Short mmCIF file of all heavy atoms in Angstrom, two decimals:
data_model
loop_
_atom_site.label_atom_id
_atom_site.label_comp_id
_atom_site.label_asym_id
_atom_site.label_seq_id
_atom_site.Cartn_x
_atom_site.Cartn_y
_atom_site.Cartn_z
N MET A 1 0.82 -1.20 0.00
CA MET A 1 0.00 0.00 0.00
C MET A 1 0.86 1.26 0.00
O MET A 1 0.51 2.25 -0.60
CB MET A 1 -0.94 -0.04 1.22
CG MET A 1 -1.88 1.12 1.28
SD MET A 1 -3.00 1.05 -0.11
CE MET A 1 -4.30 2.05 0.45
N ARG A 2 2.00 1.17 0.68
CA ARG A 2 2.89 2.32 0.74
C ARG A 2 3.40 2.71 -0.63
O ARG A 2 3.57 3.89 -0.94
CB ARG A 2 4.04 2.03 1.68
CG ARG A 2 4.90 3.22 1.99
CD ARG A 2 5.93 2.88 3.00
NE ARG A 2 6.89 1.95 2.43
CZ ARG A 2 8.17 1.95 2.68
NH1 ARG A 2 8.65 2.79 3.54
NH2 ARG A 2 8.98 1.07 2.13
N ASP A 3 3.65 1.72 -1.49
CA ASP A 3 4.13 2.00 -2.85
C ASP A 3 3.09 2.78 -3.64
O ASP A 3 3.44 3.66 -4.42
CB ASP A 3 4.48 0.71 -3.58
CG ASP A 3 5.72 0.03 -3.01
OD1 ASP A 3 6.52 0.74 -2.37
OD2 ASP A 3 5.87 -1.18 -3.20
N TRP A 4 1.81 2.46 -3.47
CA TRP A 4 0.75 3.18 -4.17
C TRP A 4 0.68 4.63 -3.71
O TRP A 4 0.49 5.53 -4.52
CB TRP A 4 -0.61 2.51 -3.97
CG TRP A 4 -0.79 1.37 -4.91
CD1 TRP A 4 -0.71 0.03 -4.61
CD2 TRP A 4 -1.04 1.44 -6.31
NE1 TRP A 4 -0.89 -0.72 -5.75
CE2 TRP A 4 -1.10 0.12 -6.81
CE3 TRP A 4 -1.22 2.49 -7.19
CZ2 TRP A 4 -1.33 -0.15 -8.15
CZ3 TRP A 4 -1.45 2.21 -8.52
CH2 TRP A 4 -1.51 0.89 -8.99
N LYS A 5 0.86 4.85 -2.41
CA LYS A 5 0.84 6.22 -1.89
C LYS A 5 1.99 7.02 -2.47
O LYS A 5 1.83 8.18 -2.86
CB LYS A 5 0.89 6.23 -0.37
CG LYS A 5 -0.39 5.79 0.28
CD LYS A 5 -0.28 5.85 1.79
CE LYS A 5 -1.57 5.36 2.44
NZ LYS A 5 -1.48 5.40 3.90
N ALA A 6 3.16 6.41 -2.55
CA ALA A 6 4.33 7.08 -3.12
C ALA A 6 4.10 7.37 -4.60
O ALA A 6 4.44 8.46 -5.09
CB ALA A 6 5.58 6.23 -2.93
N TRP A 7 3.51 6.40 -5.31
CA TRP A 7 3.23 6.60 -6.74
C TRP A 7 2.23 7.73 -6.95
O TRP A 7 2.43 8.60 -7.80
CB TRP A 7 2.70 5.31 -7.37
CG TRP A 7 2.49 5.47 -8.85
CD1 TRP A 7 3.40 5.27 -9.82
CD2 TRP A 7 1.29 5.92 -9.50
NE1 TRP A 7 2.85 5.55 -11.06
CE2 TRP A 7 1.55 5.95 -10.89
CE3 TRP A 7 0.03 6.29 -9.06
CZ2 TRP A 7 0.61 6.34 -11.81
CZ3 TRP A 7 -0.93 6.68 -9.99
CH2 TRP A 7 -0.64 6.70 -11.35
N ILE A 8 1.16 7.73 -6.17
CA ILE A 8 0.13 8.78 -6.31
C ILE A 8 0.73 10.15 -6.05
O ILE A 8 0.47 11.11 -6.78
CB ILE A 8 -1.06 8.49 -5.37
CG1 ILE A 8 -1.84 7.28 -5.88
CG2 ILE A 8 -1.97 9.70 -5.25
CD1 ILE A 8 -2.87 6.74 -4.91
N LYS A 9 1.56 10.25 -5.02
CA LYS A 9 2.18 11.52 -4.70
C LYS A 9 3.12 11.97 -5.82
O LYS A 9 3.05 13.12 -6.28
CB LYS A 9 2.95 11.43 -3.38
CG LYS A 9 3.57 12.73 -2.96
CD LYS A 9 4.27 12.63 -1.63
CE LYS A 9 4.90 13.96 -1.26
NZ LYS A 9 5.63 13.89 0.00
N ALA A 10 3.98 11.08 -6.28
CA ALA A 10 4.95 11.43 -7.33
C ALA A 10 4.23 11.76 -8.64
O ALA A 10 4.57 12.74 -9.31
CB ALA A 10 5.94 10.29 -7.54
N ALA A 11 3.25 10.97 -9.02
CA ALA A 11 2.51 11.21 -10.26
C ALA A 11 1.72 12.51 -10.17
O ALA A 11 1.64 13.27 -11.14
CB ALA A 11 1.57 10.05 -10.56
N GLY A 12 1.15 12.78 -9.00
CA GLY A 12 0.40 14.02 -8.80
C GLY A 12 1.29 15.25 -8.91
O GLY A 12 0.91 16.24 -9.55
N VAL A 13 2.46 15.19 -8.31
CA VAL A 13 3.40 16.31 -8.39
C VAL A 13 3.81 16.54 -9.84
O VAL A 13 3.83 17.68 -10.32
CB VAL A 13 4.64 16.05 -7.51
CG1 VAL A 13 5.76 17.04 -7.80
CG2 VAL A 13 4.25 16.13 -6.03
N ARG A 14 4.12 15.45 -10.56
CA ARG A 14 4.49 15.59 -11.97
C ARG A 14 3.34 16.19 -12.80
O ARG A 14 3.56 17.04 -13.65
CB ARG A 14 4.87 14.24 -12.56
CG ARG A 14 6.25 13.79 -12.22
CD ARG A 14 6.52 12.43 -12.84
NE ARG A 14 7.89 12.06 -12.64
CZ ARG A 14 8.72 11.74 -13.62
NH1 ARG A 14 8.30 11.69 -14.85
NH2 ARG A 14 9.97 11.43 -13.35
N ALA A 15 2.13 15.72 -12.55
CA ALA A 15 0.98 16.20 -13.32
C ALA A 15 0.74 17.69 -13.05
O ALA A 15 0.47 18.46 -13.97
CB ALA A 15 -0.26 15.38 -12.98
N ILE A 16 0.83 18.10 -11.78
CA ILE A 16 0.62 19.51 -11.45
C ILE A 16 1.68 20.39 -12.10
O ILE A 16 1.36 21.45 -12.65
CB ILE A 16 0.60 19.70 -9.92
CG1 ILE A 16 -0.68 19.07 -9.34
CG2 ILE A 16 0.71 21.17 -9.52
CD1 ILE A 16 -0.68 18.94 -7.83
N LYS A 17 2.93 19.94 -12.09
CA LYS A 17 4.00 20.70 -12.75
C LYS A 17 3.75 20.80 -14.25
O LYS A 17 3.95 21.85 -14.86
CB LYS A 17 5.36 20.05 -12.49
CG LYS A 17 5.86 20.24 -11.08
CD LYS A 17 7.21 19.57 -10.91
CE LYS A 17 7.76 19.73 -9.51
NZ LYS A 17 9.08 19.08 -9.36
N THR A 18 3.30 19.69 -14.84
CA THR A 18 3.02 19.68 -16.28
C THR A 18 1.88 20.63 -16.61
O THR A 18 1.94 21.37 -17.60
CB THR A 18 2.69 18.26 -16.75
OG1 THR A 18 3.81 17.42 -16.47
CG2 THR A 18 2.38 18.22 -18.23
N VAL A 19 0.82 20.63 -15.80
CA VAL A 19 -0.31 21.54 -16.01
C VAL A 19 0.17 22.99 -15.94
O VAL A 19 -0.17 23.81 -16.80
CB VAL A 19 -1.43 21.27 -14.98
CG1 VAL A 19 -2.46 22.38 -14.99
CG2 VAL A 19 -2.11 19.93 -15.27
N ALA A 20 0.97 23.31 -14.93
CA ALA A 20 1.46 24.68 -14.77
C ALA A 20 2.35 25.10 -15.94
O ALA A 20 2.23 26.22 -16.46
CB ALA A 20 2.23 24.81 -13.46
N GLN A 21 3.23 24.20 -16.38
CA GLN A 21 4.11 24.52 -17.51
C GLN A 21 3.32 24.73 -18.79
O GLN A 21 3.61 25.64 -19.57
CB GLN A 21 5.13 23.40 -17.70
CG GLN A 21 6.15 23.32 -16.59
CD GLN A 21 6.97 22.05 -16.63
OE1 GLN A 21 6.63 21.09 -17.32
NE2 GLN A 21 8.05 22.02 -15.87
N THR A 22 2.32 23.89 -19.01
CA THR A 22 1.50 24.02 -20.22
C THR A 22 0.71 25.31 -20.19
O THR A 22 0.61 26.02 -21.20
CB THR A 22 0.55 22.81 -20.36
OG1 THR A 22 1.34 21.61 -20.40
CG2 THR A 22 -0.30 22.91 -21.61
N ALA A 23 0.14 25.65 -19.03
CA ALA A 23 -0.61 26.90 -18.91
C ALA A 23 0.29 28.10 -19.17
O ALA A 23 -0.08 29.02 -19.91
CB ALA A 23 -1.25 26.99 -17.53
N ALA A 24 1.48 28.08 -18.57
CA ALA A 24 2.41 29.20 -18.77
C ALA A 24 2.80 29.35 -20.24
O ALA A 24 2.85 30.46 -20.77
CB ALA A 24 3.65 29.01 -17.91
N ALA A 25 3.08 28.23 -20.89
CA ALA A 25 3.46 28.28 -22.30
C ALA A 25 2.31 28.76 -23.18
O ALA A 25 2.50 29.58 -24.08
CB ALA A 25 3.93 26.91 -22.77
N THR A 26 1.11 28.27 -22.89
CA THR A 26 -0.05 28.66 -23.70
C THR A 26 -0.40 30.13 -23.49
O THR A 26 -0.69 30.84 -24.45
CB THR A 26 -1.27 27.77 -23.36
OG1 THR A 26 -0.87 26.40 -23.46
CG2 THR A 26 -2.41 28.00 -24.32
N ILE A 27 -0.36 30.59 -22.25
CA ILE A 27 -0.64 32.00 -21.96
C ILE A 27 0.42 32.88 -22.61
O ILE A 27 0.11 33.90 -23.22
CB ILE A 27 -0.70 32.24 -20.44
CG1 ILE A 27 -1.95 31.58 -19.86
CG2 ILE A 27 -0.70 33.74 -20.13
CD1 ILE A 27 -1.97 31.52 -18.33
N GLY A 28 1.68 32.47 -22.48
CA GLY A 28 2.76 33.26 -23.07
C GLY A 28 2.65 33.38 -24.58
O GLY A 28 2.84 34.46 -25.14
N THR A 29 2.32 32.30 -25.23
CA THR A 29 2.15 32.33 -26.69
C THR A 29 0.96 33.20 -27.07
O THR A 29 1.03 34.00 -28.00
CB THR A 29 1.94 30.90 -27.22
OG1 THR A 29 3.07 30.11 -26.84
CG2 THR A 29 1.81 30.89 -28.73
N SER A 30 -0.14 33.04 -26.35
CA SER A 30 -1.35 33.81 -26.66
C SER A 30 -1.15 35.30 -26.38
O SER A 30 -1.61 36.15 -27.14
CB SER A 30 -2.53 33.29 -25.84
OG SER A 30 -2.80 31.95 -26.14
N ALA A 31 -0.47 35.61 -25.27
CA ALA A 31 -0.24 37.01 -24.92
C ALA A 31 0.62 37.69 -25.97
O ALA A 31 0.43 38.87 -26.29
CB ALA A 31 0.40 37.11 -23.55
N ALA A 32 1.58 36.94 -26.53
CA ALA A 32 2.43 37.49 -27.57
C ALA A 32 1.62 37.83 -28.82
O ALA A 32 1.95 38.75 -29.55
CB ALA A 32 3.55 36.52 -27.92
N MET A 33 0.55 37.08 -29.04
CA MET A 33 -0.31 37.33 -30.20
C MET A 33 -1.40 38.35 -29.87
O MET A 33 -2.17 38.74 -30.73
CB MET A 33 -0.94 36.03 -30.68
CG MET A 33 0.06 35.10 -31.31
SD MET A 33 -0.74 33.70 -32.10
CE MET A 33 -0.61 32.48 -30.82
N GLY A 34 -1.48 38.76 -28.60
CA GLY A 34 -2.40 39.83 -28.24
C GLY A 34 -3.70 39.41 -27.61
O GLY A 34 -4.47 40.25 -27.16
N ASP A 35 -4.01 38.12 -27.55
CA ASP A 35 -5.29 37.69 -26.99
C ASP A 35 -5.13 36.31 -26.35
O ASP A 35 -4.78 35.35 -27.02
CB ASP A 35 -6.35 37.63 -28.09
CG ASP A 35 -7.74 37.31 -27.57
OD1 ASP A 35 -8.03 37.65 -26.41
OD2 ASP A 35 -8.53 36.72 -28.32
N VAL A 36 -5.41 36.25 -25.06
CA VAL A 36 -5.33 34.97 -24.35
C VAL A 36 -6.68 34.26 -24.47
O VAL A 36 -7.71 34.79 -24.04
CB VAL A 36 -4.95 35.16 -22.87
CG1 VAL A 36 -4.96 33.84 -22.14
CG2 VAL A 36 -3.60 35.84 -22.74
N ASN A 37 -6.68 33.09 -25.05
CA ASN A 37 -7.88 32.27 -25.17
C ASN A 37 -7.91 31.34 -23.95
O ASN A 37 -7.26 30.30 -23.93
CB ASN A 37 -7.84 31.48 -26.47
CG ASN A 37 -9.07 30.64 -26.69
OD1 ASN A 37 -9.82 30.33 -25.77
ND2 ASN A 37 -9.29 30.27 -27.95
N TRP A 38 -8.64 31.74 -22.91
CA TRP A 38 -8.64 31.02 -21.65
C TRP A 38 -9.22 29.61 -21.77
O TRP A 38 -8.80 28.70 -21.06
CB TRP A 38 -9.38 31.82 -20.58
CG TRP A 38 -8.60 33.06 -20.25
CD1 TRP A 38 -8.90 34.33 -20.62
CD2 TRP A 38 -7.36 33.13 -19.53
NE1 TRP A 38 -7.93 35.20 -20.18
CE2 TRP A 38 -6.98 34.49 -19.50
CE3 TRP A 38 -6.54 32.19 -18.92
CZ2 TRP A 38 -5.81 34.91 -18.87
CZ3 TRP A 38 -5.38 32.62 -18.29
CH2 TRP A 38 -5.03 33.96 -18.27
N LYS A 39 -10.14 29.42 -22.69
CA LYS A 39 -10.69 28.08 -22.92
C LYS A 39 -9.60 27.15 -23.46
O LYS A 39 -9.48 26.00 -23.04
CB LYS A 39 -11.87 28.17 -23.89
CG LYS A 39 -12.69 26.94 -23.98
CD LYS A 39 -13.93 27.19 -24.85
CE LYS A 39 -14.83 26.00 -24.88
NZ LYS A 39 -16.05 26.24 -25.67
N LEU A 40 -8.79 27.68 -24.35
CA LEU A 40 -7.67 26.91 -24.90
C LEU A 40 -6.63 26.62 -23.82
O LEU A 40 -6.12 25.49 -23.73
CB LEU A 40 -7.01 27.67 -26.06
CG LEU A 40 -5.73 27.04 -26.64
CD1 LEU A 40 -6.06 25.73 -27.33
CD2 LEU A 40 -5.06 28.00 -27.59
N VAL A 41 -6.33 27.60 -22.99
CA VAL A 41 -5.37 27.41 -21.90
C VAL A 41 -5.85 26.31 -20.97
O VAL A 41 -5.09 25.39 -20.62
CB VAL A 41 -5.15 28.72 -21.12
CG1 VAL A 41 -4.33 28.48 -19.86
CG2 VAL A 41 -4.49 29.78 -22.00
N LEU A 42 -7.11 26.37 -20.58
CA LEU A 42 -7.66 25.38 -19.65
C LEU A 42 -7.68 23.99 -20.27
O LEU A 42 -7.22 23.02 -19.66
CB LEU A 42 -9.07 25.78 -19.21
CG LEU A 42 -9.77 24.83 -18.25
CD1 LEU A 42 -9.01 24.74 -16.94
CD2 LEU A 42 -11.20 25.28 -18.01
N SER A 43 -8.18 23.88 -21.49
CA SER A 43 -8.29 22.55 -22.10
C SER A 43 -6.91 21.94 -22.38
O SER A 43 -6.69 20.76 -22.15
CB SER A 43 -9.13 22.60 -23.38
OG SER A 43 -8.51 23.40 -24.37
N SER A 44 -5.97 22.74 -22.83
CA SER A 44 -4.61 22.24 -23.08
C SER A 44 -3.95 21.80 -21.79
O SER A 44 -3.28 20.75 -21.75
CB SER A 44 -3.75 23.33 -23.73
OG SER A 44 -4.28 23.71 -24.96
N SER A 45 -4.13 22.57 -20.74
CA SER A 45 -3.51 22.25 -19.45
C SER A 45 -4.09 20.99 -18.84
O SER A 45 -3.36 20.14 -18.32
CB SER A 45 -3.66 23.42 -18.49
OG SER A 45 -3.03 24.57 -19.02
N VAL A 46 -5.40 20.84 -18.91
CA VAL A 46 -6.05 19.64 -18.37
C VAL A 46 -5.60 18.41 -19.15
O VAL A 46 -5.28 17.36 -18.56
CB VAL A 46 -7.59 19.79 -18.37
CG1 VAL A 46 -8.27 18.46 -18.07
CG2 VAL A 46 -8.02 20.84 -17.36
N LEU A 47 -5.58 18.51 -20.46
CA LEU A 47 -5.13 17.40 -21.29
C LEU A 47 -3.68 17.02 -20.96
O LEU A 47 -3.35 15.84 -20.85
CB LEU A 47 -5.26 17.73 -22.78
CG LEU A 47 -4.80 16.64 -23.75
CD1 LEU A 47 -5.58 15.35 -23.53
CD2 LEU A 47 -4.94 17.12 -25.17
N ALA A 48 -2.83 18.01 -20.78
CA ALA A 48 -1.43 17.73 -20.44
C ALA A 48 -1.34 17.01 -19.09
O ALA A 48 -0.53 16.08 -18.93
CB ALA A 48 -0.64 19.03 -20.40
N GLY A 49 -2.16 17.41 -18.13
CA GLY A 49 -2.17 16.73 -16.83
C GLY A 49 -2.61 15.29 -16.94
O GLY A 49 -2.02 14.39 -16.31
N ILE A 50 -3.64 15.04 -17.73
CA ILE A 50 -4.13 13.67 -17.93
C ILE A 50 -3.06 12.82 -18.61
O ILE A 50 -2.78 11.69 -18.20
CB ILE A 50 -5.44 13.66 -18.75
CG1 ILE A 50 -6.57 14.28 -17.92
CG2 ILE A 50 -5.81 12.25 -19.21
CD1 ILE A 50 -7.83 14.59 -18.71
N LEU A 51 -2.43 13.36 -19.64
CA LEU A 51 -1.36 12.63 -20.33
C LEU A 51 -0.18 12.36 -19.40
O LEU A 51 0.44 11.29 -19.47
CB LEU A 51 -0.91 13.40 -21.57
CG LEU A 51 -1.94 13.49 -22.69
CD1 LEU A 51 -1.44 14.41 -23.80
CD2 LEU A 51 -2.26 12.11 -23.23
N SER A 52 0.12 13.29 -18.52
CA SER A 52 1.19 13.08 -17.55
C SER A 52 0.87 11.91 -16.63
O SER A 52 1.73 11.06 -16.38
CB SER A 52 1.41 14.35 -16.73
OG SER A 52 2.37 14.13 -15.71
N LEU A 53 -0.35 11.85 -16.15
CA LEU A 53 -0.75 10.73 -15.29
C LEU A 53 -0.69 9.40 -16.04
O LEU A 53 -0.24 8.39 -15.50
CB LEU A 53 -2.15 10.95 -14.73
CG LEU A 53 -2.28 12.05 -13.68
CD1 LEU A 53 -3.74 12.29 -13.34
CD2 LEU A 53 -1.49 11.71 -12.43
N LEU A 54 -1.14 9.41 -17.28
CA LEU A 54 -1.12 8.18 -18.07
C LEU A 54 0.31 7.70 -18.34
O LEU A 54 0.58 6.50 -18.29
CB LEU A 54 -1.88 8.37 -19.39
CG LEU A 54 -3.39 8.53 -19.25
CD1 LEU A 54 -4.02 8.87 -20.60
CD2 LEU A 54 -4.02 7.28 -18.67
N THR A 55 1.23 8.61 -18.62
CA THR A 55 2.61 8.19 -18.85
C THR A 55 3.27 7.75 -17.55
O THR A 55 4.20 6.93 -17.58
CB THR A 55 3.45 9.30 -19.52
OG1 THR A 55 3.40 10.48 -18.72
CG2 THR A 55 2.94 9.59 -20.92
N SER A 56 2.79 8.24 -16.42
CA SER A 56 3.33 7.81 -15.13
C SER A 56 2.99 6.37 -14.81
O SER A 56 3.66 5.73 -14.00
CB SER A 56 2.82 8.72 -14.02
OG SER A 56 3.34 10.03 -14.16
N VAL A 57 1.96 5.83 -15.44
CA VAL A 57 1.57 4.44 -15.23
C VAL A 57 2.72 3.50 -15.63
O VAL A 57 2.90 2.45 -15.03
CB VAL A 57 0.27 4.10 -16.00
CG1 VAL A 57 -0.01 2.62 -15.98
CG2 VAL A 57 -0.90 4.87 -15.41
N ALA A 58 3.50 3.91 -16.61
CA ALA A 58 4.62 3.09 -17.07
C ALA A 58 5.72 2.97 -16.02
O ALA A 58 6.52 2.05 -16.08
CB ALA A 58 5.19 3.67 -18.36
N GLY A 59 5.74 3.85 -15.07
CA GLY A 59 6.74 3.80 -14.01
C GLY A 59 7.34 5.16 -13.74
O GLY A 59 7.43 5.99 -14.63
N LEU A 60 7.72 5.36 -12.49
CA LEU A 60 8.32 6.61 -12.07
C LEU A 60 9.64 6.32 -11.37
O LEU A 60 9.68 5.51 -10.44
CB LEU A 60 7.40 7.37 -11.11
CG LEU A 60 6.10 7.87 -11.69
CD1 LEU A 60 5.20 8.41 -10.58
CD2 LEU A 60 6.34 8.95 -12.71
N PRO A 61 10.72 6.97 -11.77
CA PRO A 61 12.00 6.73 -11.11
C PRO A 61 11.97 7.06 -9.61
O PRO A 61 12.67 6.45 -8.83
CB PRO A 61 12.97 7.67 -11.83
CG PRO A 61 12.27 8.17 -13.02
CD PRO A 61 10.82 7.92 -12.84
N GLU A 62 11.11 8.00 -9.22
CA GLU A 62 11.03 8.40 -7.82
C GLU A 62 10.55 7.27 -6.90
O GLU A 62 10.84 7.28 -5.71
CB GLU A 62 10.06 9.58 -7.63
CG GLU A 62 10.45 10.83 -8.37
CD GLU A 62 9.81 10.94 -9.74
OE1 GLU A 62 9.61 9.91 -10.41
OE2 GLU A 62 9.52 12.07 -10.15
N VAL A 63 9.81 6.33 -7.45
CA VAL A 63 9.27 5.25 -6.63
C VAL A 63 9.87 3.90 -6.97
O VAL A 63 9.34 2.87 -6.61
CB VAL A 63 7.72 5.19 -6.70
CG1 VAL A 63 7.10 6.39 -6.02
CG2 VAL A 63 7.23 5.06 -8.12
N GLY A 64 10.97 3.89 -7.67
CA GLY A 64 11.66 2.64 -7.99
C GLY A 64 11.55 2.30 -9.45
O GLY A 64 10.86 2.93 -10.22
N ASN A 65 12.25 1.25 -9.82
CA ASN A 65 12.32 0.83 -11.22
C ASN A 65 11.24 -0.15 -11.63
O ASN A 65 11.15 -0.51 -12.77
CB ASN A 65 13.69 0.23 -11.51
CG ASN A 65 14.78 1.27 -11.44
OD1 ASN A 65 14.55 2.44 -11.72
ND2 ASN A 65 15.97 0.85 -11.03
N GLN A 66 10.45 -0.62 -10.69
CA GLN A 66 9.44 -1.59 -11.07
C GLN A 66 8.23 -0.90 -11.69
O GLN A 66 7.98 0.27 -11.47
CB GLN A 66 9.01 -2.41 -9.86
CG GLN A 66 8.31 -1.60 -8.78
CD GLN A 66 8.10 -2.43 -7.52
OE1 GLN A 66 8.88 -2.33 -6.61
NE2 GLN A 66 7.08 -3.21 -7.50
N ASN A 67 7.51 -1.62 -12.49
CA ASN A 67 6.33 -1.08 -13.15
C ASN A 67 5.29 -0.67 -12.12
O ASN A 67 4.97 -1.42 -11.21
CB ASN A 67 5.75 -2.15 -14.09
CG ASN A 67 4.70 -1.59 -15.01
OD1 ASN A 67 4.06 -0.58 -14.73
ND2 ASN A 67 4.53 -2.24 -16.14
N SER A 68 4.75 0.53 -12.26
CA SER A 68 3.84 1.08 -11.26
C SER A 68 2.50 0.36 -11.21
O SER A 68 1.77 0.51 -10.25
CB SER A 68 3.60 2.56 -11.53
OG SER A 68 4.80 3.26 -11.37
N VAL A 69 2.14 -0.39 -12.25
CA VAL A 69 0.85 -1.06 -12.24
C VAL A 69 0.96 -2.49 -11.77
O VAL A 69 -0.03 -3.20 -11.68
CB VAL A 69 0.16 -0.99 -13.63
CG1 VAL A 69 -0.19 0.42 -13.98
CG2 VAL A 69 1.02 -1.63 -14.69
N ASP A 70 2.17 -2.96 -11.45
CA ASP A 70 2.33 -4.31 -10.92
C ASP A 70 1.74 -4.39 -9.52
O ASP A 70 1.88 -3.47 -8.74
CB ASP A 70 3.82 -4.70 -10.82
CG ASP A 70 4.41 -5.01 -12.18
OD1 ASP A 70 3.64 -5.19 -13.13
OD2 ASP A 70 5.65 -5.04 -12.27
N SER A 71 1.10 -5.49 -9.21
CA SER A 71 0.59 -5.67 -7.85
C SER A 71 1.49 -6.65 -7.11
O SER A 71 2.09 -7.53 -7.69
CB SER A 71 -0.85 -6.19 -7.89
OG SER A 71 -0.91 -7.39 -8.59
N ASP A 72 1.59 -6.47 -5.81
CA ASP A 72 2.44 -7.34 -4.99
C ASP A 72 1.69 -8.56 -4.55
O ASP A 72 0.57 -8.61 -4.27
CB ASP A 72 2.95 -6.58 -3.77
CG ASP A 72 3.91 -5.49 -4.18
OD1 ASP A 72 4.39 -5.51 -5.33
OD2 ASP A 72 4.20 -4.63 -3.36
#
């Protein structure tokens, strides 16, 4: 059970960082063009967070080298 808690924490931190980076990049690009499309920022950021969680299923170095979906 402890491994799952570590995985959830590590995957969550990665996803939040990815969402923030995507939002910053999307806002920066839009601001340079003169108009921030907030719907685009939100949808891109949420999608990036979901994709981050899905790629974390393959494994996270922070919680060891074993596959994160393996059960003990």
